[in-house]
Amino acid sequence: DMLIIDSFSSFMKILIVISSIVCCLMSLTYLENKKVNSFEYFILILLATIGMLCLVSTNDLLGLYMSIELMSLSFYILAAYKRNSEFSGEAGLKYFILGAFSSGLLLFGMSLIYGFTGLTNFEELSKLLTCINAMSDSVSYNGILVGLLFVTVSLLFKVAAAPFHMWSPDVYEGAPTPVTAFFSIVPKMAIFALLIRIFYSTFYDFLGFWQPIFLYTGILSMIVGSLGALYKKKIKRLM
């Protein structure tokens, strides 16, 4: 039961595959103009796409982590793909360091949830947590809240929501242009699908805890994004 196939995941997979194909087609002219003659580029995009397809179908915390790591490791290399550009090297390094930090937060949060519940499967977790509000003063309840907070922060980092967005302008600017297009669209769809599956299905009973977090980060992202874009002089950083 680590993967779930339903109409929602199938719809998201179709979107991700179509977007990845478009990004690959965009890359053909770019690679030809820049005289980049290497087959690894498309293999990395395919590996990242496989990671995202698994991510939208995952039904387990372990599957979630493995899918995100498969996706992220490909992204780190793609960000630093322009070997002769110091900006691209910097982008890859920043993405790798901050991405590893984010993955550490995710793993720590998942280990707390597993430690206090003994479960990793989303459906089993949702059944266990249905009546947990009655235990709101217990250690287990508070431990799950802390674990959920770490998982939420990590996923908000992956989706570049304010105030966890500081890495994105440098990474977008340094990465090759088709890769920037790929970064700014496709992984966001996969993470949003994951957020819906986790929070709406599994942790729905913690609605009072996570709803204000998404509300405030959403408002902050719109304000910071709009005001920050006014001062940008490069189109990649504007994105």
Side-chain angles (χ1 to χ4, degrees), residues 35 38 45 71 108 116 138 186 201 211 216-217 219 231 234:
K35 295 181 173 58
S38 57
I45 286 186
M71 177 183 81
F108 183 64
F116 284 106
S138 68
V186 192
S201 301
Q211 192 179 47
Y216 295 135
T217 51
I219 293 170
Y231 298 97
K234 297 183 178 178

Side-chain angles (χ1 to χ4, degrees), residues 160 162 165 217-232 237-239:
H165 67 292
T217 51
I219 293 170
L220 195 62
S221 295
M222 287 187 279
I223 294 171
V224 171
S226 301
L227 295 179
L230 292 172
Y231 298 97
K232 300 300 177 188
R237 295 182 76 89
L238 180 106
M239 291 175 69

Side-chain angles (χ1 to χ4, degrees), residues 161-224:
F164 312 105
H165 67 292
M166 301 306 292
W167 59 273
S168 53
D170 293 327
V171 172
Y172 284 10
E173 184 184 5
T177 306
V179 173
T180 303
F182 191 59
F183 282 175
S184 62
I185 299 166
V186 192
K188 304 290 194 298
M189 289 193 295
I191 298 291
F192 274 125
L194 177 68
L195 288 171
I196 292 168
R197 190 178 294 285
I198 289 182
F199 289 96
Y200 194 72
S201 301
T202 308
F203 293 102
Y204 186 79
D205 292 275
F206 290 87
L207 183 72
F209 173 73
W210 56 258
Q211 192 179 47
I213 297 175
F214 287 110
L215 177 67
Y216 295 135
T217 51
I219 293 170
L220 195 62
S221 295
M222 287 187 279
I223 294 171
V224 171

Side-chain angles (χ1 to χ4, degrees), residues 43-220:
I43 293 175
L44 289 167
I45 286 186
L46 287 172
L47 284 172
T49 305
I50 291 170
M52 287 183 277
L53 295 180
C54 292
L55 191 62
V56 297
S57 277
T58 190
N59 196 35
D60 195 280
L61 291 173
L62 296 175
L64 183 158
Y65 185 73
M66 296 299 290
S67 303
I68 278 191
E69 284 307 293
L70 176 59
M71 177 183 81
S72 299
L73 287 170
S74 305
F75 284 169
Y76 302 151
I77 304 168
L78 283 169
Y81 205 76
K82 286 196 290 187
R83 297 184 183 89
N84 55 351
S85 167
E86 60 182 27
F87 288 114
S88 189
E90 181 190 357
L93 187 63
K94 279 186 178 178
Y95 202 3
F96 173 69
I97 293 171
L98 293 169
F101 174 70
S102 163
S103 297
L105 291 178
L106 178 65
L107 201 57
F108 183 64
M110 285 173 9
S111 66
L112 282 174
I113 293 169
Y114 173 70
F116 284 106
T117 62
L119 299 170
T120 57
N121 187 273
F122 290 165
E123 288 180 4
E124 292 174 1
L125 274 169
S126 65
K127 291 173 187 172
L128 178 71
L129 301 176
T130 302
C131 302
I132 201 160
N133 284 326
M135 306 164 54
S136 57
D137 294 328
S138 68
V139 174
S140 298
Y141 182 86
N142 294 322
I144 294 168
L145 279 187
V146 174
L148 189 59
L149 179 64
F150 277 103
V151 170
T152 306
V153 168
S154 174
L155 294 177
L156 287 173
F157 176 92
K158 298 285 186 191
V159 87
F164 312 105
H165 67 292
M166 301 306 292
W167 59 273
S168 53
D170 293 327
V171 172
Y172 284 10
E173 184 184 5
T177 306
V179 173
T180 303
F182 191 59
F183 282 175
S184 62
I185 299 166
V186 192
K188 304 290 194 298
M189 289 193 295
I191 298 291
F192 274 125
L194 177 68
L195 288 171
I196 292 168
R197 190 178 294 285
I198 289 182
F199 289 96
Y200 194 72
S201 301
T202 308
F203 293 102
Y204 186 79
D205 292 275
F206 290 87
L207 183 72
F209 173 73
W210 56 258
Q211 192 179 47
I213 297 175
F214 287 110
L215 177 67
Y216 295 135
T217 51
I219 293 170
L220 195 62

